[in-house]
Amino acid sequence: GENVEQHPSTLSVQEGDSAVIKCTYSDSASNYFPWYKQELGKRPQLIIDIRSNVGEKKDQRIAVTLNKTAKHFSLHITETQPEDSAVYFCAASIYKGNKLVFGAGTILRVKS
Amino acid sequence: GAVVSQHPSWVICKSGTSVKIECRSLDFQATTMFWYRQFPKQSLMLMATSNEGSKATYEQGVEKDKFLINHASLTLSTLTVTSAHPEDSSFYICSAPRDNLYEQYFGPGTRLTVT
């Protein structure tokens, strides 16, 4: 089955700096890659996603890149702010509405 | 956006008792719902796929007789933790895709504590 690895497990950055979180997946059939932000005790919140037919997607300070050949995708957050501090999860799924396989998560701390 | 609710939001039960958690899609129909479990400081792990009108599909290592899933309607799936033990204490979250789209909508989660 699908396996998703996520790095780093923790990331501390200074406010205003950029943060990058990387994930690799094992199943070449996966075609949907969402990123979630989760605050303590809350549900995961979708922040950006990408499908396998594109290589990059951007939404204001957040961007995701996908390399299908290498089977890895990355989350980029620019101009980080203290409110960006949370746990971030990447995930992968094979087709529409199918189960998500999550990475282990990254604790992001933005120091002001 | 689509709304998924869960009830209860938190529950405390005694060891050996059963607890039922409900997951509802409030403004759309969901033929499929997913149940995840999240232990403290860990990721979300899929437990089972709930299918409306048919048996649930369980992930490897998840006991189907302990975690009973019923998807009796297009808007409701229930997860019953039977004979709960302290090691079952966790955050249980459901999700549902809408209209066969890619995005999944998560419920707010249920915090289960077994004493």
Side-chain angles (χ1 to χ4, degrees):
Chain A
E2 175 66 281
N3 182 51
V4 178
E5 294 190 356
Q6 183 172 345
H7 299 281
S9 56
T10 60
L11 179 60
S12 291
V13 299
Q14 203 66 35
E15 182 178 0
D17 288 350
S18 295
V20 180
I21 303 171
K22 299 181 179 182
C23 288
T24 60
Y25 61 99
S26 60
D27 193 336
S28 57
S30 290
N31 61 359
Y32 176 62
F33 308 94
W35 285 90
Y36 295 91
K37 175 183 181 182
Q38 188 181 32
E39 297 177 347
L40 191 63
K42 302 288 183 63
R43 78 186 87 192
Q45 174 191 357
L46 179 69
I47 57 172
I48 197 167
D49 57 10
I50 192 168
R51 300 179 195 177
S52 59
N53 58 346
V54 297
E56 185 174 358
K57 183 177 178 181
K58 189 174 181 180
D59 182 5
Q60 299 183 336
R61 297 188 296 110
I62 296 173
V64 56
T65 59
L66 171 66
N67 184 326
K68 287 173 57 180
T69 302
K71 289 190 281 189
H72 67 71
F73 56 112
S74 301
L75 176 70
H76 304 253
I77 305 174
T78 59
E79 301 173 24
T80 54
Q81 302 166 1
E83 50 265 38
D84 293 330
S85 297
V87 181
Y88 291 80
F89 292 99
C90 63
S93 70
I94 292 180
Y95 54 80
K96 290 179 182 179
N98 198 12
K99 60 185 181 182
L100 293 168
V101 178
F102 284 84
T106 296
I107 300 172
L108 174 64
R109 298 190 182 95
V110 181
K111 297 175 286 187
S112 57
Chain B
V3 178
V4 175
S5 70
Q6 275 183 248
H7 178 81
S9 56
W10 60 270
V11 57
I12 301 173
C13 71
K14 293 187 176 181
S15 187
T17 62
S18 296
V19 174
K20 180 184 287 188
I21 302 170
E22 295 184 347
C23 177
R24 293 181 185 272
S25 55
L26 298 184
D27 55 354
F28 68 101
Q29 294 182 332
T31 56
T32 300
M33 291 183 175
F34 300 99
W35 286 97
Y36 296 86
R37 180 168 55 181
Q38 186 176 32
F39 292 110
K41 299 185 179 180
Q42 294 189 22
S43 186
L44 285 81
M45 296 298 294
L46 181 68
M47 299 176 66
T49 302
S50 174
N51 303 298
E52 188 269 336
S54 64
K55 292 183 178 180
T57 304
Y58 291 82
E59 295 299 300
Q60 190 173 5
V62 177
E63 301 174 57
K64 62 179 182 180
D65 294 331
K66 179 172 179 63
F67 299 98
L68 303 179
I69 291 174
N70 184 15
H71 196 148
S73 77
L74 287 171
T75 59
L76 173 65
S77 174
T78 60
L79 168 68
T80 301
V81 182
T82 63
S83 187
H85 291 285
E87 56 265 33
D88 298 323
S89 298
S90 188
F91 192 50
Y92 292 85
I93 308 176
C94 67
S95 75
R98 178 175 181 173
D99 298 336
N100 201 30
L101 299 178
Y102 284 92
E103 184 174 355
Q104 291 195 25
Y105 298 90
F106 285 86
T110 297
R111 174 74 57 191
L112 170 63
T113 301
V114 185
T115 61

